[in-house]
Amino acid sequence: MSGNTCSHNEADAPVLKCFVVGAGSRGSVYATYAKIHPQKVKVVAVAEPQEERRNRFVKAYNIQDEMVFTDWRDAAKLEKFADFVIIATLDRDHKDPAVAFAKLGYDILLEKPMAVTEEECREIVNVCKKSQVLLAVCHVLRYTPWVTKIKEIISAGHIGEIVSIRHTEPVGFWHFAHSFVRGNWRNEATSSCSLLAKSCHDVDLINYWLSPRKCVRISSFGKLTHFTKEDKPAGASSRCLECSIEPNCPYSAKKIYLDRLAKGGSGWPVSVITNVVDIENVTEALRSGPYGKCVYDTDNNVVSHQVVNFQYDDGATACFNMVAFTKRLCAREVKIYGTKGEIAFEDGWRDVQVFDFLTQETTTYDVTSDHNVSMGGHGGADFHLMEAFVGTLQGERNDIVTGPEESLNSHLLVFAAEKARKENKVVSISPDGIFE
């Protein structure tokens, strides 16, 4: 692990220098940790091609002119000037900077997914291991209290041997329209499949809870439903602002962005569509940009719902269901069935519930998240990830649970699931992650 010499006394630990590559939504979230704990982290450099985002970062973190880059490749030509780098570029732009900065000795916090192909993921892991740098992948949910508590309950044997897991991610009807119909993740050729872009978190959780078991077989089914040109209502226009049937469309861009802004909602998702969030700029973005297009008239092709079935080496099974058409927004629903009891949790609950078959009683475990409100994304998971990553670099803790091997294993399951879906077959997986 590279970085400054660390002390187990937080007061004596040096401030870690951070370089942010990609100053969009996710890069901004992780960098916020430096504002919360300036005694631990200082953002000293940024690489971002969009001028408005770049300037906002410079102002927020008082970055010196020589440490501001429009292209990360220019920074990679210099000697190492920071302790770690946050890589939060678009999905298809993860591999090259990860490899380049690992070779320069930077410890790396890498936004999920690691990369969009099996080969690129393996390359990142191999280079980081060879360079002896710390790699933490932003499978942030592993760091939430409810996820860690479920793992503790399983490991303690409270529900016996795991027989089956049923896990659902309700994406949210308007969230899917925002990100996967109009947004950056709408087309597999320019981003990745929706299982990787949206639900690699969930595949990772299933694999985490069932470890050290190994998944040996996967099948998967899914389809793009409703958001197609064939489903476009008669009389609908190509843009929501000029559409006569917009008032009757639940996916109206006017409802998702302008109505939300009118109610004071200037954060995500409104902040994604324009760099200056006000009525004029949001309106112009909907008039001319991708977020104002009719959801039945874009170049989207990623599936809107998908089921993945897993079989593990001890016979345990799991089923994951991702669906776009839901009221709830990314509020995971979990049921885990064991030989002596079962676990139940829904995102938003304050506790994990465990039913014991012998006593026929339910025990609840408080999983309220204690996190800084300015990093409340993913139920505080973003904050908990940064706590673990920074604490590990400073030598105060060692609880990175999304390291290279763990993250690679769950990514391989995503790729295997997509192979199974596209080829309409059951895919077998060898112990070293090779599938056919």
Side-chain angles (χ1 to χ4, degrees), residues 99-319:
V99 168
F101 290 114
K103 289 181 177 179
L104 289 170
Y106 288 83
D107 292 314
I108 298 173
L109 185 72
L110 179 61
E111 175 62 326
K112 64 83 185 169
M114 297 173 67
V116 298
T117 68
E118 176 189 353
E119 294 73 23
E120 289 184 342
C121 289
R122 290 187 183 276
E123 183 179 354
I124 290 171
V125 170
N126 291 336
V127 171
C128 286
K129 291 171 68 174
K130 184 177 180 180
S131 302
Q132 296 184 308
V133 299
L134 177 67
L135 170 66
V137 178
C138 296
H139 281 308
V140 296
L141 293 182
R142 281 207 193 192
Y143 298 89
T144 57
W146 67 269
V147 169
T148 57
K149 178 55 68 175
I150 288 175
K151 181 63 174 176
E152 289 173 10
I153 293 167
I154 293 171
S155 299
H158 291 325
I159 63 168
E161 294 298 317
I162 302 301
V163 174
S164 187
I165 293 178
R166 189 179 79 222
H167 182 86
T168 299
E169 182 182 11
V171 180
F173 71 99
W174 66 261
H175 176 18
F176 193 88
H178 165 72
S179 295
F180 301 96
V181 179
R182 296 180 172 115
N184 291 331
W185 297 273
R186 66 184 181 272
N187 191 292
E188 191 169 343
T190 55
S191 59
S192 62
C193 63
S194 51
L195 186 66
L196 184 65
K198 185 71 186 77
S199 299
C200 64
H201 277 314
D202 304 280
V203 174
D204 182 68
L205 288 185
I206 290 171
N207 207 42
Y208 176 52
W209 288 325
L210 282 169
S211 65
R213 302 167 184 85
K214 298 291 185 181
C215 183
V216 293
R217 283 155 55 88
I218 282 185
S219 66
S220 183
F221 309 93
K223 187 177 185 292
L224 169 59
T225 298
H226 191 67
F227 298 114
T228 70
K229 289 177 172 56
E230 291 73 24
D231 292 298
K232 186 174 182 177
S237 301
S238 61
R239 288 194 172 272
C240 295
L241 293 187
E242 54 196 38
C243 182
S244 61
I245 67 171
E246 176 274 326
N248 297 316
C249 179
Y251 306 102
S252 156
K254 180 178 180 296
K255 292 182 177 69
I256 295 174
Y257 306 107
L258 285 175
D259 289 0
R260 184 173 269 100
L261 180 63
K263 296 175 183 177
S266 59
W268 184 89
V270 181
S271 60
V272 171
I273 74 172
T274 178
N275 289 321
V276 179
V277 180
D278 58 27
I279 188 67
E280 291 80 12
N281 283 284
V282 171
T283 301
E284 178 55 33
L286 299 186
R287 184 176 291 119
S288 59
Y291 293 96
K293 288 185 176 181
C294 174
V295 291
Y296 308 104
D297 209 16
T298 79
D299 62 346
N300 63 302
N301 63 7
V302 297
V303 301
S304 56
H305 55 102
Q306 186 167 357
V307 173
V308 184
N309 302 302
F310 308 80
Q311 184 173 42
Y312 281 74
D313 52 10
D314 67 343
T317 58
C319 177

Side-chain angles (χ1 to χ4, degrees), residues 7-115:
S7 168
H8 291 281
N9 185 334
E10 180 179 322
D12 296 334
V15 177
L16 297 171
K17 296 178 181 179
C18 168
F19 172 30
V20 178
V21 176
S25 177
R26 299 307 296 161
S28 298
V29 165
Y30 300 128
T32 300
Y33 189 83
K35 294 182 179 179
I36 299 170
H37 289 299
Q39 78 283 9
K40 294 184 179 182
V41 174
K42 178 177 175 58
V43 177
V44 298
V46 62
E48 168 57 50
Q50 291 192 25
E51 183 178 8
E52 182 66 31
R53 290 177 177 177
R54 190 170 63 247
N55 291 342
R56 188 163 60 235
F57 242 72
V58 170
K59 182 178 180 180
Y61 297 100
N62 193 27
I63 300 173
Q64 301 302 305
D65 291 346
E66 62 271 19
M67 291 289 98
V68 180
F69 306 92
T70 57
D71 191 326
W72 63 263
R73 294 170 183 81
D74 293 328
K77 296 174 184 177
L78 306 177
E79 291 185 4
K80 181 185 172 187
F81 55 78
D83 298 292
F84 70 94
V85 59
I86 296 172
I87 298 176
T89 52
L90 292 176
D91 296 356
R92 287 187 171 269
D93 300 325
H94 284 181
K95 192 269 291 185
D96 287 345
V99 168
F101 290 114
K103 289 181 177 179
L104 289 170
Y106 288 83
D107 292 314
I108 298 173
L109 185 72
L110 179 61
E111 175 62 326
K112 64 83 185 169
M114 297 173 67

Side-chain angles (χ1 to χ4, degrees), residues 376-411:
H378 296 98
D382 298 336
F383 177 78
H384 294 303
L385 166 64
M386 289 302 297
E387 285 274 274
F389 182 71
V390 171
T392 299
L393 289 182
Q394 292 186 325
E396 297 158 5
R397 51 197 288 180
N398 186 22
D399 54 358
I400 295 295
V401 291
T402 54
E405 294 296 343
E406 298 94 332
S407 298
L408 176 62
N409 287 340
S410 61
H411 277 68

